[in-house]
Amino acid sequence: MQKKLLRSTGLHWIILICLISSPFLASAQGSYIPFDRDYYHLIDRYQILQGKNNAFFHTATKPYRRDDVAKYLDSIADSEVIQSRSDKFNLAYLSQDNWEFVDRETPESKKPFLKSLYRRPGDFAHYYSEDFDIHVSPVIYLNGGFEPDNDQNPNRLSRGVVLRGSIDKKVGFYTYFTSSEAFFPTWVKGYALHNGAVPGEGFWKQYNTNGYSYFSALGHVSFNITKHIEIEVGHDRNFIGEGYRSFLLSDFSNPYMFVKFNTRIWKFQLTNIWTQMTADVDYDRGRPTDGRYPQKWFSFHRLGFNIGKNANLGFFESVMTDQADFNYFNPIIFYRWVEQSLGTPDKVMLGLDGKWNFYPGMQLYGQFALDEFVFSEFFGQDGKGSKRNKYGIQAGLKYYDLLKISNLDLQLEFNSARPYTFQEKNDYQSYSNWRTPLTHPRGANFREMLGIIRYQPLPKLSLTFQSMYQLYGADPDEETNWGGDVLKNRLEGSPTGLFGNIIGQGIENKVVQTHLNASYMLKHNFFIDASHTWRRRTAQDLDAPATHNYLQLAFRWNFIRPDYNY
């Protein structure tokens, strides 16, 4: 009875405290900008070109608040980093997208539709006053593609609406929902079949035999309870880090319910996140069924601080448990100590992340996530390749205005996770949500190299080329566990002993994938995308390499460009 009560009231108490605190709101507050890698690249580009940290927010904790981004845009409007035509266009675009918080003048539409619609380029309809503002826009995504050897050429239709605003400029709110029908490229469909979940979406229904139909809904309310403490209550995703991937907390899984505290004082930012996630799903003939799914509870905190003017270092800790526990609601407690005092029943992760803008236009960044640590085994004193030597590591470089070519940006990234990292021995405690990893899409037991080149030769035209190489070990069947699938029990099905575990063990797979995309902005947040993806996988259990070519054309309006780079 007590366990059931804890499960039903854990996050409810935090939400209640947040709502009671709301009358004491302090400073201006905007909603959060959805995490879109293309959009966020434009913001981070200016900071890296300046070669120093901005004074308004820590970039490792995403998403960002609109009012914070607006302040930063105002601060750089007349700076030397805004030189090229494309950078001037991007500054105007970002400012227009957050116009209610920008101090500089942002022009209204020259020809609004029916005099009352699209009075602002980015808002289908809006109302603005000092007491209340609201912005409503349609969401549309339509794409068609061609992939030889696929039974059904990939295509997708998504439509919906996005709404955001604020009350008294102190309470920000955001909601988004779409309905989609999709036929995916071969490797995406294979990933969904293996995990039983559509990455980033979760629950789905069968559509025309081999298609997927699903409904997406996101939303949050955010406010400040003091000058330095802000709270967000929402159903969405979070991302921690500076890289394309994240081992600490990524945006790959299904959205989840969470309460987030951000405490920002001087050079420090403490981020606390408490969430309720879906542990597993009931299936019938490979499809999710109706019913109450088991839940899991995840607590996370990261302390970040700026070192000098151009570096930031963050320390993180998280705990995943199959039941809500008030011990983990303490925002400044050391989770590992609490977990040990309870009899070590839960999964605790430790680690750090950092960045260094060592030269204007250049940044080094990285992450280290530690799952388990035994000193003598970590350093190989008792034997090599210990199963308890579990960690993920990331190292990356960003070089913007490559070779002094304006708006030519390069990003290189290395990711690696040892076998059995993120798995757990108890049910519902793996580092996952709705059967998809909370970290890297590949899970563990892999190495990866990424290269991304972004080029904006014209203000409205953006070109992106991504290349990916992966080496990973796969399992031959459901009973065998070589350490890559985060959903499996780390104590069951392992063909090895304590030592002798190496990255890539199991059925060795090698994947090479390239993706070229051209995006043209016809109107504010209305894009035409043309892209080509080439993918080649070789494996010990394949007679010949599996090669895929995927060509597509898409139209999107207030929609984040889908990413199938996994």
Side-chain angles (χ1 to χ4, degrees), residues 54-98:
N54 77 74
F56 305 99
F57 53 90
H58 287 205
T59 57
T61 303
K62 300 175 176 70
Y64 306 150
R65 266 173 39 182
R66 290 188 180 275
D67 55 317
D68 289 335
V69 170
K71 293 174 185 175
Y72 178 60
L73 296 175
D74 285 335
S75 72
I76 64 171
D78 298 321
S79 70
E80 59 184 11
V81 299
I82 311 297
Q83 296 292 329
S84 69
R85 289 176 56 213
S86 293
D87 281 328
K88 293 176 181 177
F89 174 85
N90 294 337
L91 179 68
Y93 162 68
L94 295 171
S95 299
Q96 187 64 254
D97 215 48
N98 305 281

Short mmCIF file of all heavy atoms in Angstrom, two decimals, residues 54-98:
data_model
loop_
_atom_site.label_atom_id
_atom_site.label_comp_id
_atom_site.label_asym_id
_atom_site.label_seq_id
_atom_site.Cartn_x
_atom_site.Cartn_y
_atom_site.Cartn_z
N ASN A 54 28.23 32.99 -23.39
CA ASN A 54 27.30 34.11 -23.30
C ASN A 54 26.88 34.29 -21.84
O ASN A 54 27.03 33.40 -21.01
CB ASN A 54 26.10 33.89 -24.22
CG ASN A 54 25.10 32.90 -23.66
OD1 ASN A 54 24.35 33.19 -22.73
ND2 ASN A 54 25.07 31.71 -24.25
N ALA A 55 26.33 35.45 -21.54
CA ALA A 55 26.03 35.81 -20.16
C ALA A 55 24.60 35.46 -19.75
O ALA A 55 24.19 35.79 -18.62
CB ALA A 55 26.26 37.31 -19.97
N PHE A 56 23.84 34.78 -20.62
CA PHE A 56 22.41 34.64 -20.37
C PHE A 56 21.96 33.21 -20.11
O PHE A 56 20.94 33.00 -19.45
CB PHE A 56 21.63 35.22 -21.56
CG PHE A 56 22.00 36.64 -21.87
CD1 PHE A 56 22.89 36.94 -22.89
CD2 PHE A 56 21.49 37.68 -21.12
CE1 PHE A 56 23.25 38.25 -23.18
CE2 PHE A 56 21.84 39.00 -21.40
CZ PHE A 56 22.73 39.28 -22.42
N PHE A 57 22.66 32.21 -20.62
CA PHE A 57 22.26 30.82 -20.39
C PHE A 57 23.44 29.90 -20.66
O PHE A 57 24.37 30.26 -21.39
CB PHE A 57 21.07 30.42 -21.27
CG PHE A 57 21.27 30.68 -22.74
CD1 PHE A 57 21.83 29.71 -23.58
CD2 PHE A 57 20.88 31.89 -23.30
CE1 PHE A 57 22.01 29.95 -24.94
CE2 PHE A 57 21.05 32.14 -24.66
CZ PHE A 57 21.61 31.17 -25.48
N HIS A 58 23.41 28.72 -20.05
CA HIS A 58 24.41 27.69 -20.29
C HIS A 58 23.94 26.82 -21.46
O HIS A 58 22.83 26.29 -21.44
CB HIS A 58 24.61 26.83 -19.05
CG HIS A 58 25.34 27.52 -17.95
ND1 HIS A 58 26.06 26.83 -16.98
CD2 HIS A 58 25.50 28.83 -17.65
CE1 HIS A 58 26.62 27.70 -16.14
NE2 HIS A 58 26.27 28.91 -16.53
N THR A 59 24.78 26.67 -22.46
CA THR A 59 24.36 25.99 -23.68
C THR A 59 24.27 24.48 -23.53
O THR A 59 23.70 23.81 -24.39
CB THR A 59 25.32 26.32 -24.82
OG1 THR A 59 26.67 25.95 -24.45
CG2 THR A 59 25.29 27.80 -25.15
N ALA A 60 24.82 23.90 -22.46
CA ALA A 60 24.78 22.44 -22.31
C ALA A 60 23.41 21.93 -21.92
O ALA A 60 23.11 20.76 -22.11
CB ALA A 60 25.81 22.00 -21.26
N THR A 61 22.56 22.79 -21.37
CA THR A 61 21.22 22.39 -20.94
C THR A 61 20.21 22.91 -21.95
O THR A 61 19.99 24.11 -22.07
CB THR A 61 20.91 22.95 -19.53
OG1 THR A 61 21.91 22.50 -18.61
CG2 THR A 61 19.56 22.47 -19.07
N LYS A 62 19.61 21.99 -22.66
CA LYS A 62 18.66 22.36 -23.72
C LYS A 62 17.31 21.72 -23.41
O LYS A 62 17.26 20.64 -22.83
CB LYS A 62 19.18 21.87 -25.08
CG LYS A 62 20.53 22.46 -25.47
CD LYS A 62 21.04 21.86 -26.77
CE LYS A 62 22.35 22.49 -27.23
NZ LYS A 62 23.47 22.10 -26.34
N PRO A 63 16.22 22.40 -23.79
CA PRO A 63 16.10 23.59 -24.65
C PRO A 63 16.35 24.90 -23.91
O PRO A 63 16.45 24.92 -22.68
CB PRO A 63 14.66 23.50 -25.15
CG PRO A 63 13.93 22.78 -24.08
CD PRO A 63 14.89 21.80 -23.50
N TYR A 64 16.43 25.99 -24.71
CA TYR A 64 16.66 27.34 -24.18
C TYR A 64 15.33 28.07 -24.06
O TYR A 64 14.36 27.80 -24.77
CB TYR A 64 17.56 28.17 -25.12
CG TYR A 64 18.87 27.55 -25.49
CD1 TYR A 64 19.46 27.84 -26.74
CD2 TYR A 64 19.55 26.69 -24.64
CE1 TYR A 64 20.68 27.29 -27.10
CE2 TYR A 64 20.78 26.15 -24.99
CZ TYR A 64 21.33 26.45 -26.23
OH TYR A 64 22.54 25.89 -26.59
N ARG A 65 15.31 29.07 -23.16
CA ARG A 65 14.14 29.93 -23.02
C ARG A 65 14.16 31.03 -24.06
O ARG A 65 15.21 31.57 -24.40
CB ARG A 65 14.12 30.55 -21.62
CG ARG A 65 13.31 29.79 -20.63
CD ARG A 65 13.43 30.31 -19.23
NE ARG A 65 13.47 31.76 -19.11
CZ ARG A 65 13.61 32.40 -17.95
NH1 ARG A 65 13.72 31.69 -16.84
NH2 ARG A 65 13.65 33.70 -17.91
N ARG A 66 12.97 31.39 -24.55
CA ARG A 66 12.88 32.42 -25.59
C ARG A 66 13.38 33.78 -25.11
O ARG A 66 14.05 34.50 -25.85
CB ARG A 66 11.44 32.55 -26.08
CG ARG A 66 10.97 31.36 -26.89
CD ARG A 66 9.61 31.59 -27.52
NE ARG A 66 9.22 30.42 -28.30
CZ ARG A 66 9.57 30.19 -29.55
NH1 ARG A 66 10.31 31.08 -30.18
NH2 ARG A 66 9.19 29.10 -30.17
N ASP A 67 13.07 34.15 -23.89
CA ASP A 67 13.49 35.46 -23.42
C ASP A 67 15.01 35.51 -23.24
O ASP A 67 15.63 36.55 -23.49
CB ASP A 67 12.78 35.83 -22.12
CG ASP A 67 12.95 34.79 -21.03
OD1 ASP A 67 12.84 33.59 -21.34
OD2 ASP A 67 13.18 35.16 -19.87
N ASP A 68 15.63 34.38 -22.85
CA ASP A 68 17.09 34.35 -22.75
C ASP A 68 17.74 34.49 -24.12
O ASP A 68 18.73 35.21 -24.28
CB ASP A 68 17.55 33.04 -22.10
CG ASP A 68 17.21 32.97 -20.62
OD1 ASP A 68 17.08 34.03 -20.00
OD2 ASP A 68 17.09 31.85 -20.09
N VAL A 69 17.20 33.77 -25.10
CA VAL A 69 17.74 33.86 -26.46
C VAL A 69 17.58 35.28 -27.00
O VAL A 69 18.48 35.82 -27.64
CB VAL A 69 17.05 32.85 -27.39
CG1 VAL A 69 17.42 33.08 -28.85
CG2 VAL A 69 17.41 31.43 -26.97
N ALA A 70 16.44 35.90 -26.72
CA ALA A 70 16.21 37.27 -27.20
C ALA A 70 17.22 38.25 -26.61
O ALA A 70 17.75 39.13 -27.32
CB ALA A 70 14.79 37.71 -26.86
N LYS A 71 17.52 38.11 -25.33
CA LYS A 71 18.53 38.98 -24.70
C LYS A 71 19.89 38.78 -25.36
O LYS A 71 20.63 39.75 -25.58
CB LYS A 71 18.61 38.68 -23.20
CG LYS A 71 17.38 39.06 -22.41
CD LYS A 71 17.51 38.59 -20.96
CE LYS A 71 16.24 38.84 -20.18
NZ LYS A 71 16.31 38.29 -18.80
N TYR A 72 20.22 37.53 -25.64
CA TYR A 72 21.51 37.25 -26.27
C TYR A 72 21.56 37.84 -27.69
O TYR A 72 22.56 38.44 -28.08
CB TYR A 72 21.76 35.75 -26.31
CG TYR A 72 23.05 35.39 -27.00
CD1 TYR A 72 24.27 35.86 -26.51
CD2 TYR A 72 23.07 34.59 -28.12
CE1 TYR A 72 25.47 35.55 -27.14
CE2 TYR A 72 24.26 34.26 -28.76
CZ TYR A 72 25.45 34.75 -28.26
OH TYR A 72 26.63 34.44 -28.88
N LEU A 73 20.47 37.72 -28.44
CA LEU A 73 20.44 38.29 -29.78
C LEU A 73 20.58 39.81 -29.74
O LEU A 73 21.28 40.40 -30.58
CB LEU A 73 19.12 37.92 -30.48
CG LEU A 73 18.90 36.42 -30.74
CD1 LEU A 73 17.51 36.18 -31.32
CD2 LEU A 73 19.97 35.87 -31.68
N ASP A 74 19.95 40.45 -28.77
CA ASP A 74 20.11 41.90 -28.62
C ASP A 74 21.56 42.27 -28.32
O ASP A 74 22.06 43.29 -28.80
CB ASP A 74 19.21 42.41 -27.49
CG ASP A 74 17.74 42.47 -27.88
OD1 ASP A 74 17.46 42.60 -29.10
OD2 ASP A 74 16.88 42.38 -27.00
N SER A 75 22.23 41.43 -27.53
CA SER A 75 23.60 41.75 -27.12
C SER A 75 24.61 41.63 -28.26
O SER A 75 25.67 42.26 -28.21
CB SER A 75 24.02 40.85 -25.96
OG SER A 75 24.25 39.52 -26.40
N ILE A 76 24.29 40.85 -29.29
CA ILE A 76 25.26 40.64 -30.39
C ILE A 76 24.84 41.33 -31.68
O ILE A 76 25.54 41.21 -32.69
CB ILE A 76 25.46 39.13 -30.67
CG1 ILE A 76 24.16 38.50 -31.16
CG2 ILE A 76 25.99 38.42 -29.43
CD1 ILE A 76 24.32 37.09 -31.66
N ALA A 77 23.72 42.04 -31.64
CA ALA A 77 23.18 42.63 -32.88
C ALA A 77 24.18 43.53 -33.59
O ALA A 77 24.22 43.59 -34.82
CB ALA A 77 21.90 43.40 -32.58
N ASP A 78 25.01 44.25 -32.82
CA ASP A 78 25.98 45.17 -33.43
C ASP A 78 27.41 44.66 -33.28
O ASP A 78 28.36 45.44 -33.44
CB ASP A 78 25.86 46.55 -32.77
CG ASP A 78 24.49 47.18 -32.99
OD1 ASP A 78 23.95 47.02 -34.11
OD2 ASP A 78 23.96 47.78 -32.05
N SER A 79 27.56 43.37 -33.00
CA SER A 79 28.91 42.84 -32.78
C SER A 79 29.57 42.45 -34.10
O SER A 79 28.93 42.38 -35.15
CB SER A 79 28.86 41.62 -31.85
OG SER A 79 28.26 40.52 -32.52
N GLU A 80 30.84 42.15 -34.01
CA GLU A 80 31.62 41.83 -35.20
C GLU A 80 31.32 40.46 -35.77
O GLU A 80 31.75 40.14 -36.88
CB GLU A 80 33.11 41.92 -34.87
CG GLU A 80 33.55 40.99 -33.76
CD GLU A 80 35.01 41.16 -33.39
OE1 GLU A 80 35.63 42.14 -33.85
OE2 GLU A 80 35.53 40.31 -32.65
N VAL A 81 30.61 39.60 -35.03
CA VAL A 81 30.31 38.26 -35.56
C VAL A 81 29.19 38.31 -36.61
O VAL A 81 29.02 37.35 -37.37
CB VAL A 81 29.92 37.28 -34.44
CG1 VAL A 81 31.05 37.12 -33.46
CG2 VAL A 81 28.64 37.70 -33.73
N ILE A 82 28.44 39.39 -36.66
CA ILE A 82 27.36 39.52 -37.64
C ILE A 82 27.94 40.26 -38.86
O ILE A 82 27.84 41.49 -38.97
CB ILE A 82 26.14 40.27 -37.07
CG1 ILE A 82 25.75 39.70 -35.71
CG2 ILE A 82 24.98 40.19 -38.05
CD1 ILE A 82 25.30 38.26 -35.76
N GLN A 83 28.53 39.51 -39.77
CA GLN A 83 29.21 40.10 -40.91
C GLN A 83 28.59 39.70 -42.24
O GLN A 83 28.27 40.53 -43.08
CB GLN A 83 30.70 39.71 -40.89
CG GLN A 83 31.46 40.25 -39.70
CD GLN A 83 31.62 41.77 -39.75
OE1 GLN A 83 31.69 42.36 -40.82
NE2 GLN A 83 31.67 42.40 -38.58
N SER A 84 28.42 38.42 -42.46
CA SER A 84 27.96 37.94 -43.76
C SER A 84 26.46 38.19 -43.95
O SER A 84 25.72 38.43 -42.99
CB SER A 84 28.25 36.44 -43.91
OG SER A 84 27.42 35.69 -43.03
N ARG A 85 26.02 38.12 -45.21
CA ARG A 85 24.59 38.28 -45.50
C ARG A 85 23.78 37.20 -44.81
O ARG A 85 22.67 37.46 -44.30
CB ARG A 85 24.36 38.20 -47.02
CG ARG A 85 24.88 39.39 -47.82
CD ARG A 85 24.69 39.15 -49.31
NE ARG A 85 23.29 38.85 -49.61
CZ ARG A 85 22.89 38.04 -50.58
NH1 ARG A 85 23.78 37.39 -51.30
NH2 ARG A 85 21.61 37.85 -50.81
N SER A 86 24.31 35.99 -44.77
CA SER A 86 23.59 34.89 -44.15
C SER A 86 23.45 35.08 -42.65
O SER A 86 22.40 34.80 -42.06
CB SER A 86 24.29 33.56 -44.45
OG SER A 86 24.22 33.25 -45.83
N ASP A 87 24.52 35.58 -41.99
CA ASP A 87 24.44 35.82 -40.55
C ASP A 87 23.45 36.94 -40.22
O ASP A 87 22.74 36.87 -39.22
CB ASP A 87 25.82 36.14 -39.98
CG ASP A 87 26.67 34.90 -39.77
OD1 ASP A 87 26.09 33.85 -39.45
OD2 ASP A 87 27.89 34.98 -39.92
N LYS A 88 23.41 37.96 -41.05
CA LYS A 88 22.44 39.04 -40.85
C LYS A 88 21.02 38.52 -41.04
O LYS A 88 20.11 38.89 -40.29
CB LYS A 88 22.73 40.19 -41.81
CG LYS A 88 24.05 40.91 -41.53
CD LYS A 88 24.34 41.99 -42.57
CE LYS A 88 25.68 42.67 -42.29
NZ LYS A 88 26.02 43.68 -43.32
N PHE A 89 20.85 37.65 -42.02
CA PHE A 89 19.54 37.04 -42.25
C PHE A 89 19.15 36.16 -41.07
O PHE A 89 18.00 36.21 -40.60
CB PHE A 89 19.57 36.21 -43.54
CG PHE A 89 18.31 35.43 -43.79
CD1 PHE A 89 17.23 36.02 -44.42
CD2 PHE A 89 18.22 34.10 -43.39
CE1 PHE A 89 16.06 35.30 -44.65
CE2 PHE A 89 17.05 33.37 -43.61
CZ PHE A 89 15.97 33.98 -44.25
N ASN A 90 20.08 35.36 -40.57
CA ASN A 90 19.78 34.47 -39.44
C ASN A 90 19.44 35.26 -38.18
O ASN A 90 18.54 34.86 -37.42
CB ASN A 90 20.98 33.56 -39.16
CG ASN A 90 21.24 32.58 -40.29
OD1 ASN A 90 20.34 32.26 -41.07
ND2 ASN A 90 22.47 32.11 -40.39
N LEU A 91 20.15 36.36 -37.95
CA LEU A 91 19.85 37.20 -36.79
C LEU A 91 18.43 37.75 -36.89
O LEU A 91 17.68 37.75 -35.91
CB LEU A 91 20.86 38.33 -36.68
CG LEU A 91 20.64 39.31 -35.53
CD1 LEU A 91 20.89 38.62 -34.20
CD2 LEU A 91 21.53 40.54 -35.67
N ALA A 92 18.06 38.21 -38.09
CA ALA A 92 16.71 38.75 -38.29
C ALA A 92 15.66 37.63 -38.13
O ALA A 92 14.59 37.86 -37.55
CB ALA A 92 16.60 39.39 -39.67
N TYR A 93 15.98 36.45 -38.64
CA TYR A 93 15.05 35.31 -38.54
C TYR A 93 14.84 34.91 -37.08
O TYR A 93 13.69 34.74 -36.63
CB TYR A 93 15.61 34.15 -39.35
CG TYR A 93 15.02 32.81 -39.02
CD1 TYR A 93 13.69 32.51 -39.31
CD2 TYR A 93 15.79 31.82 -38.41
CE1 TYR A 93 13.14 31.28 -39.01
CE2 TYR A 93 15.25 30.58 -38.10
CZ TYR A 93 13.94 30.31 -38.40
OH TYR A 93 13.40 29.10 -38.09
N LEU A 94 15.91 34.75 -36.32
CA LEU A 94 15.79 34.38 -34.92
C LEU A 94 15.09 35.46 -34.11
O LEU A 94 14.29 35.17 -33.21
CB LEU A 94 17.18 34.10 -34.34
CG LEU A 94 17.94 32.89 -34.91
CD1 LEU A 94 19.38 32.88 -34.38
CD2 LEU A 94 17.24 31.59 -34.56
N SER A 95 15.39 36.71 -34.42
CA SER A 95 14.74 37.82 -33.71
C SER A 95 13.25 37.85 -33.99
O SER A 95 12.43 38.07 -33.09
CB SER A 95 15.39 39.15 -34.12
OG SER A 95 16.76 39.18 -33.79
N GLN A 96 12.88 37.62 -35.25
CA GLN A 96 11.46 37.61 -35.60
C GLN A 96 10.75 36.43 -34.94
O GLN A 96 9.59 36.54 -34.54
CB GLN A 96 11.31 37.50 -37.12
CG GLN A 96 9.91 37.64 -37.65
CD GLN A 96 9.29 39.00 -37.40
OE1 GLN A 96 8.43 39.15 -36.53
NE2 GLN A 96 9.76 40.01 -38.13
N ASP A 97 11.44 35.33 -34.78
CA ASP A 97 10.84 34.15 -34.18
C ASP A 97 10.60 34.33 -32.68
O ASP A 97 9.80 33.59 -32.10
CB ASP A 97 11.76 32.94 -34.41
CG ASP A 97 10.99 31.66 -34.62
OD1 ASP A 97 10.03 31.67 -35.42
OD2 ASP A 97 11.34 30.65 -33.98
N ASN A 98 11.31 35.28 -32.07
CA ASN A 98 11.16 35.56 -30.63
C ASN A 98 10.86 37.03 -30.41
O ASN A 98 11.32 37.64 -29.44
CB ASN A 98 12.44 35.15 -29.90
CG ASN A 98 12.83 33.71 -30.14
OD1 ASN A 98 12.28 32.79 -29.55
ND2 ASN A 98 13.80 33.48 -31.04
#
